Amino acid sequence: MTVKSLLPFIAATFICGGSVLVEARQPKPPATVTKPTVSQPVQPKWKLFTPPDGRFSILMPGSPNRETQFQKTYMGEINLEIFVAQPPKQQVAYVVTYNDFPYSYGEMSDPQAVLNNARDMALKTTKSNLISQRNIRSSNNHPGKEIEYINSGGKITKSRMYVAEGRLYQVMAITTKKQQKTLAKTITGYLNSFQIVLKK
């Protein structure tokens, strides 16, 4: 399944359906590395990623793939930018999406209403059940919400959403129950590394 199959705002839970295919296409390591080891996820090289417009930074495993979508919504047409990184041999996807609101909507809207709407849309489009939620703030004090939810296929998404300067950011880690246990610290570190860069 490709990034193009993402639905408006958040239906990124489906990306993990493609992670097994990604794993199958990875080149096999050289035969010299066949030491018997405990099955641990291969740790990719994490590096700081900043998008072309420079409006956020985050640690990601390798260079993410970028996808742009235009979506017609109740607010008017919006441009959705999606960045996805999937480490090899792991059933996990690290995703950052953002969209700018039409000016009039961004000026009128209450940030909490935007966040609640994004949460409801995430649960609806991915047919998921909410596990937990809490209100949060970005490091530069923009309002946000952290939610965790599970879909019928057992994929768990941990997402942090922020509203800042007319834009909705969503930072997600999507994985399986099994991988979530081994990657819990990594996922928390990934979410914690997200920084909004204010316009100058």
Side-chain angles (χ1 to χ4, degrees):
M1 204 170 280
T2 65
V3 184
K4 285 182 182 175
S5 64
L6 290 179
L7 292 169
F9 291 103
I10 335 200
T13 303
F14 299 114
I15 297 176
C16 275
S19 60
V20 180
L21 299 174
V22 172
E23 181 177 344
R25 288 196 301 269
Q26 293 301 320
K28 290 188 175 167
T32 52
V33 196
T34 51
K35 293 177 186 171
T37 54
V38 180
S39 176
Q40 285 289 330
V42 177
Q43 289 305 318
K45 188 170 182 181
W46 287 73
K47 54 189 180 183
L48 196 66
F49 170 74
T50 304
D53 74 355
R55 296 271 300 277
F56 72 83
S57 65
I58 190 167
L59 285 171
M60 290 195 98
S63 298
N65 294 318
R66 180 184 179 185
E67 187 78 37
T68 302
Q69 288 186 7
F70 294 96
Q71 302 288 352
K72 287 186 178 175
T73 73
Y74 62 92
M75 300 175 288
E77 190 167 81
I78 61 167
N79 186 23
L80 184 67
E81 294 287 345
I82 307 163
F83 301 90
V84 183
Q86 287 181 285
K89 301 191 181 301
Q90 292 185 25
Q91 289 190 317
V92 62
Y94 297 97
V95 185
V96 181
T97 73
Y98 71 78
N99 64 270
D100 290 312
F101 298 118
Y103 180 76
S104 57
Y105 182 84
E107 286 293 297
M108 294 184 309
S109 293
D110 168 39
Q112 282 304 325
V114 173
L115 293 166
N116 289 340
N117 187 54
R119 174 202 61 208
D120 295 344
M121 195 124 168
L123 297 175
K124 184 180 176 184
T125 41
T126 59
K127 296 182 175 144
S128 296
N129 291 317
L130 188 66
I131 298 171
S132 65
Q133 66 175 328
R134 66 188 177 104
N135 291 330
I136 54 175
R137 290 256 165 195
S138 70
S139 58
N140 40 22
N141 210 33
H142 288 286
K145 189 179 286 288
E146 180 185 277
I147 61 173
E148 192 169 5
Y149 52 92
I150 184 166
N151 74 1
S152 57
K155 296 286 191 299
I156 296 172
T157 300
K158 192 162 190 178
S159 171
R160 288 183 184 173
M161 305 176 288
Y162 302 95
V163 175
E165 298 182 324
R167 179 177 282 187
L168 173 67
Y169 294 94
Q170 297 180 73
V171 188
M172 294 170 270
I174 305 150
T175 187
T176 59
K177 279 185 184 176
K178 186 179 176 184
Q179 284 268 272
Q180 190 198 34
K181 287 173 184 170
T182 57
L183 293 172
K185 284 185 180 175
T186 303
I187 288 170
T188 299
Y190 159 74
L191 294 171
N192 287 344
S193 74
F194 179 77
Q195 300 285 328
I196 295 169
V197 179
L198 302 178
K199 284 190 225 173
K200 291 180 181 176

